[in-house]
């Protein structure tokens, strides 16, 4: 188990998806930063969930034009 990144099982549990492409789409939608490894799998830094000071904001599908 890597202490720096979430495991594949933890990513499946977090996103609800088994496949990397679906996991990436879900992570992007939720505003959770990730990097792709050479095998095409998302890697999410564990400190985003351990550090209580980290703030993750879900991304809106479209810009909020009403705020202008």
């Amino acid at each position: 188990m890597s202490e720096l990144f979430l495991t594949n099982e933890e990513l499946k549990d977090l996103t609800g998806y088994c496949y990397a492409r679906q996991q990436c789409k879900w992570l992007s939608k939720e505003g959770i930063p990730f990097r792709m490894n050479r095998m095409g799998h998302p890697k999410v830094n564990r400190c985003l969930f351990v550090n209580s000071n980290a703030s993750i904001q879900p991304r809106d599908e479209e810009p909020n034009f009403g705020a202008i």
Side-chain angles (χ1 to χ4, degrees):
M1 179 178 125
S2 170
E3 292 185 28
L4 184 58
F5 299 107
L6 296 181
T7 65
N8 290 336
E9 286 301 315
E10 289 171 326
L11 273 173
K12 288 178 189 177
D13 187 45
L14 176 66
T15 65
Y17 294 103
C18 294
Y19 297 107
R21 185 175 180 174
Q22 294 169 320
Q23 291 173 345
C24 292
K25 185 176 179 179
W26 188 91
L27 291 166
S28 293
K29 181 180 176 185
E30 295 300 317
I32 299 173
F34 65 95
R35 296 278 187 163
M36 299 294 288
N37 68 10
R38 288 186 66 185
M39 300 298 292
H41 296 280
K43 302 305 277 181
V44 177
N45 197 318
R46 184 176 300 282
C47 76
L48 292 172
F49 300 97
V50 175
N51 185 354
S52 62
N53 294 331
S55 175
I56 299 173
Q57 300 292 327
R59 295 184 184 174
D60 293 332
E61 292 292 322
E62 296 180 15
N64 182 359
F65 293 111
I68 297 177

